[in-house]
Amino acid sequence: MINFENSLNTAKQQLLAWSSYAKLTEITLVRDAKGQISIYLMPKSKPKIDSNELRAITNTLAKALGSFFSGTLFIENAEEWTKDLFKKIRELRIEDPNPPATTTSPKWYLIERGIAKKAWIQCSQNENSAWPYESTQPGSKKTLPKIVTFYSYKGGMGRTTALTAVAFELLRQHKNVLMIDTDLEAPGLSTFFFPADDEGLINKGTVDYLQLKNMDKNAVIDMTEYIIPLISPSYIDSDMGKLYLVSGGQLNDEFLLKLARIDTQELNGEKLKALFIQLLKDCCSALESDGGIDYILIDSRAGFHDMAGIVTAQLPHGVVLFGKDSFQSWFGIQQAVRTIATSQTDKPFAIIVDSGCGFNGLVSEEEKDNFRAKSYEIFCTNYYDNDIQPGLNAHGEAHDPIFIRYSATLAGDIPLYDGKKVVELKKQLSDWSYKELTYRIMEQFGENPMGGSELNE
């Protein structure tokens, strides 16, 4: 029985059996938002494919695919108007990752046209980060912040905690840091710094910016209403860098109504990405006179969410991935690694974290070996170039895990504003593993962290 899972392969088999298959140089299968398949063919110059041959394959596909066939089958250059159509097809398509097992031409291509999840499924290596990696380097004409996204497939993995810990270590390295909460369905970064019932400390956030700019791209925005300087002496010492936060937004009765109006399924094309880039640029401009920003740390939504796909795969220069040694976690990590590796023209660096691991504060060598082996398998298959694959035990490579031990202190709320708890919280957030993660990030940008050698002693 024909279904979504076997429809693409069924279409391929029908085309392989077509008498005119050898006359083709390229085949592009397009599966639209409904799941229906359209077919675009590029023939060789000779011999030509006549109308009877086209009618035969169209009837065959209709019979084999049923409602999964859109009825659309086009030949390039058959008519003048198809030139623009095929030009667009070439812009969107990727090489089919599962082409038919045949050594003969044609080449096979694929386009998945989902309504949502586009950032996760349309990975054609055509994206660019918010600004070039080269612009983050000291020798550039104007040094721009380094963008790192923290992503986990499942919630409760310590992603936001690690982001905060890395931010503090960067402050100790005399870096200025901006944290941005894009986990809009469950924003929690601000709760580290403000009581949940203290609405006066949070005015506007990411959801407000996206809603306003989506409605009016030319809207003039006062970024001081969005950027919160975090200056409490409870967690910021005088000799540290500066810390800023763009929260998800004020959690009041209007929050969900704003969120509903930036539903990413309604933001066509690259609009959502463009809005995020503008948010980053507006933040940089607003803070330039205050010493500027060295790092932007983005807290991503968990799972295969549209926003998560954009801020994880299309915007950053690097990604920190959080997981556990479980089937569900590895499934999500594998998809994330594949998307990160194939979205941008220059793929971002990746760092993987085994989060909340160990027992009684210790991580066994067996647990480390098992996690590293699975990580190595995934990165070799989905991230590393075939001719440049490091060894299993190579240190500092994308697959080389950082092990963050489980901490009961950090497992619940982390109220850094609470004077009775902040000392112990700061101690836990200064664990070796968070330092190692920070140093690994800095080294990816060619920076030599102060005190970084102590991890190797």
Side-chain angles (χ1 to χ4, degrees):
M1 181 178 177
I2 190 70
N3 54 42
F4 187 90
E5 285 75 13
N6 62 26
S7 58
L8 279 178
N9 189 56
T10 300
K12 293 175 186 179
Q13 295 306 314
Q14 299 305 315
L15 289 165
L16 281 170
W18 185 30
S19 60
S20 297
Y21 177 79
K23 298 179 181 180
L24 304 172
T25 60
E26 294 179 359
I27 298 176
T28 302
L29 302 182
V30 180
R31 182 155 54 178
D32 67 17
K34 295 179 181 178
Q36 291 183 319
I37 297 170
S38 300
I39 298 171
Y40 297 82
L41 308 173
M42 180 178 178
K44 299 175 181 177
S45 56
K46 293 181 180 180
K48 292 185 176 181
I49 301 173
D50 63 35
S51 58
N52 290 329
E53 293 173 296
L54 288 177
R55 190 178 301 111
I57 189 59
T58 301
N59 291 337
T60 298
L61 289 166
K63 183 177 180 179
L65 294 173
S67 60
F68 283 89
F69 181 47
S70 70
T72 298
L73 187 147
F74 284 123
I75 298 284
E76 185 168 21
N77 297 327
E79 297 182 51
E80 183 67 22
W81 68 269
T82 63
K83 288 183 178 180
D84 290 339
L85 172 64
F86 275 83
K87 180 181 179 182
K88 188 65 177 178
I89 290 294
R90 286 194 170 84
E91 291 175 358
L92 296 174
R93 71 187 186 181
I94 62 171
E95 287 193 28
D96 190 339
N98 299 297
T102 174
T103 58
T104 60
S105 63
K107 292 193 68 174
W108 290 78
Y109 298 90
L110 181 64
I111 300 175
E112 291 279 9
R113 299 291 289 171
I115 295 176
K117 319 303 178 192
K118 292 180 181 179
W120 291 103
I121 61 179
Q122 292 181 14
C123 304
S124 57
Q125 294 185 297
N126 292 329
E127 298 293 336
N128 294 304
S129 53
W131 42 79
Y133 174 88
E134 291 74 19
S135 298
T136 69
Q137 301 303 295
S140 60
K141 186 175 181 180
K142 181 180 181 180
T143 305
L144 296 174
K146 305 155 181 63
I147 306 170
V148 182
T149 295
F150 289 62
Y151 172 80
S152 63
Y153 170 61
K154 294 179 69 65
M157 302 294 289
R159 180 192 69 244
T160 306
T161 302
L163 184 152
T164 304
V166 167
F168 281 135
E169 183 57 34
L170 286 170
L171 298 181
R172 286 187 281 269
Q173 298 287 329
H174 307 300
K175 306 296 181 182
N176 295 339
V177 180
L178 170 65
M179 305 180 296
I180 299 182
D181 195 345
T182 68
D183 186 0
L184 300 185
E185 271 73 15
L189 189 52
S190 62
T191 64
F192 284 48
F193 304 95
F194 309 113
D197 58 354
D198 199 339
E199 297 179 355
L201 295 172
I202 298 176
N203 189 2
K204 297 179 180 179
T206 306
V207 71
D208 302 274
Y209 185 96
L210 295 178
Q211 185 274 321
L212 183 56
K213 281 289 190 178
N214 183 40
M215 181 178 64
D216 179 7
K217 67 178 181 180
N218 297 316
V220 178
I221 291 182
D222 180 2
M223 293 306 295
T224 61
E225 295 184 319
Y226 295 79
I227 303 171
I228 306 171
L230 299 173
I231 57 175
S232 172
S234 297
Y235 47 78
I236 301 291
D237 297 330
S238 59
D239 61 343
M240 296 170 71
K242 297 177 180 178
L243 182 62
Y244 305 91
L245 167 69
V246 175
S247 72
Q250 189 180 123
L251 297 180
N252 55 22
D253 292 341
E254 307 299 319
F255 183 88
L256 192 57
L257 297 175
K258 295 172 188 174
L259 183 59
R261 283 161 174 78
I262 59 168
D263 188 330
T264 54
Q265 293 187 24
E266 299 301 325
L267 297 176
N268 298 320
E270 296 185 348
K271 189 173 184 181
L272 182 59
K273 179 182 178 182
L275 292 180
F276 272 119
I277 292 176
Q278 192 59 52
L279 170 60
L280 301 185
K281 289 181 177 179
D282 285 350
C283 287
C284 291
S285 296
L287 296 171
E288 189 172 3
S289 61
D290 198 32
I293 292 296
D294 299 301
Y295 281 84
I296 296 175
L297 307 183
I298 299 177
D299 193 14
S300 171
R301 179 80 168 99
F304 298 141
H305 190 276
D306 295 82
M307 289 188 188
I310 290 171
V311 302
T312 301
Q314 298 183 5
L315 286 181
H317 305 112
V319 182
V320 182
L321 299 161
F322 293 79
K324 293 182 180 293
D325 192 8
S326 68
F327 171 78
Q328 281 192 335
S329 181
W330 285 123
F331 170 78
I333 289 173
Q334 177 167 287
Q335 180 60 59
V337 169
R338 183 183 300 125
T339 304
I340 291 165
T342 56
S343 291
Q344 293 190 31
T345 303
D346 299 315
K347 62 187 173 188
F349 70 78
I351 299 172
I352 190 166
V353 173
D354 183 3
S355 182
C357 57
F359 182 72
N360 288 337
L362 297 175
V363 186
S364 70
E365 291 304 313
E366 180 182 7
E367 181 174 355
K368 290 181 179 180
D369 290 344
N370 290 341
F371 194 93
R372 179 177 285 106
K374 186 62 180 179
S375 174
Y376 185 67
E377 175 188 337
I378 285 176
F379 277 90
C380 283
T381 304
N382 301 283
Y383 185 86
Y384 296 135
D385 296 331
N386 291 332
D387 56 341
I388 309 177
Q389 294 194 353
L392 170 63
N393 295 311
H395 177 68
E397 298 291 346
H399 74 275
D400 180 29
I402 290 176
F403 297 94
I404 295 180
R405 298 171 296 177
Y406 173 79
S407 165
T409 303
L410 300 179
D413 292 336
I414 304 178
L416 291 167
Y417 51 83
D418 188 336
K420 296 179 181 179
K421 299 180 180 180
V422 68
V423 173
E424 179 60 24
L425 289 171
K426 286 173 62 178
K427 177 182 177 182
Q428 294 293 324
L429 291 171
S430 300
D431 186 77
W432 290 114
S433 56
Y434 294 123
K435 291 180 181 289
E436 182 182 8
L437 175 56
T438 307
Y439 298 162
R440 183 89 68 88
I441 291 171
M442 294 180 68
E443 288 164 357
Q444 292 288 341
F445 292 104
E447 295 190 320
N448 185 24
M450 298 179 296
S453 60
E454 64 189 355
L455 290 176
N456 298 319
E457 293 178 355

